[in-house]
Amino acid sequence: KTSALFQAACAMGVLLAGGSEAQKDTIMIFAEEIGRAYQMKDDLFDRGQDADSHKISYASQWAEKDLEAEIARLSHQAIERL
């Protein structure tokens, strides 16, 4: 869900700016990666609450250091696309 919201916002920016199809494709990948990184970080912040409610999240599936590394990787990769 989070990535889809980022993608919608970014796609509208490309559309309103008169961007090309290639620019839209690039920004959609960027938004998906940033959206996933954002959701992972949010899940880390909510780790205690999610554990209490048995909610499945990135934080419940990954070790914290591995999740932090993946957040950094996705963020860097997304920024490099721009």
Side-chain angles (χ1 to χ4, degrees):
K1 274 189 318 192
T2 303
S3 290
L5 290 171
F6 277 73
Q7 286 177 316
C10 289
M12 292 305 295
V14 172
L15 179 66
L16 292 172
S20 69
E21 193 65 31
Q23 289 171 320
K24 181 180 155 244
D25 292 345
T26 298
I27 205 72
M28 293 298 282
I29 296 168
F30 162 83
E32 193 275 328
E33 291 167 340
I34 287 294
R36 277 189 20 225
Y38 177 91
Q39 187 60 58
M40 289 174 174
K41 193 66 168 180
D42 188 60
D43 287 355
L44 274 177
F45 288 135
D46 295 338
R47 179 173 273 205
Q49 293 172 353
D50 291 347
D52 292 342
S53 66
H54 306 289
K55 179 181 173 186
I56 296 173
S57 68
Y58 286 110
S60 70
Q61 302 296 306
W62 293 53
E64 185 171 349
K65 73 178 181 103
D66 295 336
L67 190 53
E68 288 284 4
E70 182 65 3
I71 291 165
R73 186 192 72 76
L74 281 170
S75 298
H76 178 73
Q77 184 173 296
I79 291 166
E80 287 297 311
R81 289 188 191 285
L82 302 177

